[in-house]
């Protein structure tokens, strides 16, 4: 992707804490795109960037980044990667679209079936290329101007407990108990041993530095075998389809 300095970008609207609608210069004057930026450790952004640039394109998956957004650091004179831009889909997410159309009587079964097929096809595409999708919920499903589904957010941090499968939640609870500094030592030791057995490399995933992991930094998801990953995705898919 083209590299662009943050000072060349004009903010139009803040869509989310880490997502902005911006204008960037182009040969035609300017173009409106979405910029995904940092809100915490850069490792999550770098992993998403790597995944989007290495995963083969699919019509139901957000397009590859158009720009790499950089900023000159005041200390040391280094250039930091702080975000990237991608295509803007003004229709928004299914989280808002579904209730709106239901209220106004414009939610058709044919559309729902089409979206269900497109979403399933996107997940199969991701799975067929050795990856998985860990944050499947209506917030991360957009609609294009042609009313087709577009899957976004590939940080692979995991998913909220209300959307995850039971086995993922259990490992997540164990991880929280094992890494909570306020937990009593006797209790903490018990869960550290259990977590080490489930996810032997979990400490490397907790570091702030980017270590180029193959499947992201989520401790619960990293503890699952390939068939277990697929089962967890199917669980989330069932919730979304419902």
């Amino acid at each position: 992707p083209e590299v662009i300095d943050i000072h060349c970008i004009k903010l139009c609207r803040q869509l989310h804490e880490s997502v902005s609608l911006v204008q960037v210069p182009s040969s035609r004057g300017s173009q409106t795109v979405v910029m995904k930026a940092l809100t915490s450790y850069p490792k999550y952004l770098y992993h998403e960037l790597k995944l989007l640039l290495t995963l083969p394109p699919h019509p139901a998956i957000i397009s590859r980044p158009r720009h790499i957004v950089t900023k000159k650091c005041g200390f040391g004179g280094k250039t930091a990667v702080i975000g990237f831009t991608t295509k803007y889909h003004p229709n928004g997410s299914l989280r808002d679209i579904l209730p709106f159309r239901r209220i106004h009587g414009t939610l058709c079964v044919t559309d729902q079936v089409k979206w269900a097929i497109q979403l399933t096809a996107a997940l199969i595409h991701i799975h067929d290329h050795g990856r998985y999708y860990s944050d499947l919920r209506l917030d991360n499903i957009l609609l294009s101007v042609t009313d087709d589904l577009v899957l976004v957010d590939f940080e692979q941090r995991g998913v909220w407990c209300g959307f995850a499968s039971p086995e993922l939640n259990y490992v997540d609870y164990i991880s929280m108990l094992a890494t909570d500094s306020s937990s009593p030592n006797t209790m903490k030791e018990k869960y550290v041993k259990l977590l080490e057995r489930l996810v032997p490399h979990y400490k490397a995933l907790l570091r702030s530095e980017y270590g180029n992991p193959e499947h992201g930094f989520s401790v619960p998801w990293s503890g699952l075998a390939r068939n277990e990953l697929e089962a967890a995705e199917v669980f989330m898919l069932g919730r979304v389809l419902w």
Side-chain angles (χ1 to χ4, degrees):
E2 178 185 350
V3 177
I4 186 170
D5 187 89
I6 185 67
H7 295 98
C8 298
I9 294 176
K10 179 183 178 181
L11 175 66
C12 299
R13 184 156 49 100
Q14 195 74 31
L15 303 176
H16 184 265
E17 60 180 1
S18 62
V19 180
S20 309
L21 187 64
V22 300
Q23 284 187 336
V24 298
S26 69
S27 57
R28 298 179 180 179
S30 66
Q31 58 177 316
T32 302
V33 293
V34 163
M35 184 179 79
K36 179 78 176 282
L38 293 170
T39 56
S40 61
Y41 297 122
K43 64 181 185 179
Y44 301 112
L45 179 79
Y46 293 169
H47 179 72
E48 181 174 20
L49 190 56
K50 181 187 76 169
L51 198 153
L52 290 176
L53 291 173
T54 56
L55 186 68
H58 187 275
I61 293 176
I62 191 70
S63 60
R64 291 185 174 188
R66 297 184 176 185
H67 305 87
I68 302 295
V69 183
T70 61
K71 181 181 183 296
K72 195 80 170 179
C73 299
F75 180 77
K78 295 181 179 180
T79 300
V81 174
I82 61 171
F84 61 85
T85 71
T86 187
K87 185 176 181 179
Y88 173 48
H89 296 283
N91 287 341
S93 72
L94 284 184
R95 181 197 64 182
D96 302 319
I97 292 170
L98 287 176
F100 180 84
R101 292 194 181 185
R102 189 175 288 113
I103 291 171
H104 292 84
T106 57
L107 184 61
C108 304
V109 173
T110 52
D111 289 333
Q112 291 174 283
V113 172
K114 179 184 74 171
W115 298 334
I117 292 172
Q118 290 174 340
L119 177 58
T120 306
L123 293 176
I124 291 173
H125 176 79
I126 295 169
H127 190 268
D128 284 349
H129 288 88
R131 312 297 176 85
Y132 64 89
Y133 189 83
S134 64
D135 196 7
L136 187 57
R137 48 196 173 93
L138 295 177
D139 306 62
N140 291 331
I141 303 172
L142 308 181
L143 281 190
S144 69
V145 291
T146 58
D147 229 24
D148 292 307
L149 180 146
V150 181
L151 192 61
V152 300
D153 197 346
F154 284 81
E155 290 184 357
Q156 288 190 318
R157 289 202 204 195
V159 67
W160 298 344
C161 61
F163 300 91
S165 61
E167 63 271 22
L168 278 172
N169 285 336
Y170 296 151
V171 180
D172 201 13
Y173 299 151
I174 292 170
S175 177
M176 287 188 282
L177 290 167
T179 57
D180 185 2
S181 59
S182 63
S183 298
N185 288 336
T186 53
M187 184 187 75
K188 191 174 180 180
E189 289 174 4
K190 171 186 175 182
Y191 291 104
V192 165
K193 291 179 181 178
L194 187 54
L195 187 59
E196 286 176 342
R197 195 175 79 215
L198 295 170
V199 192
H201 59 292
Y202 82 92
K203 290 182 180 179
L205 301 176
L206 300 177
R207 295 173 188 153
S208 59
E209 299 86 0
Y210 178 70
N212 194 27
E214 185 178 1
H215 295 299
F217 295 92
S218 171
V219 172
W221 283 87
S222 297
L224 301 182
R226 185 70 180 156
N227 62 323
E228 294 170 336
L229 286 172
E230 183 178 3
E233 288 179 283
V234 170
F235 182 94
M236 290 191 299
L237 176 61
R239 286 188 67 94
V240 169
L241 294 182
W242 172 81

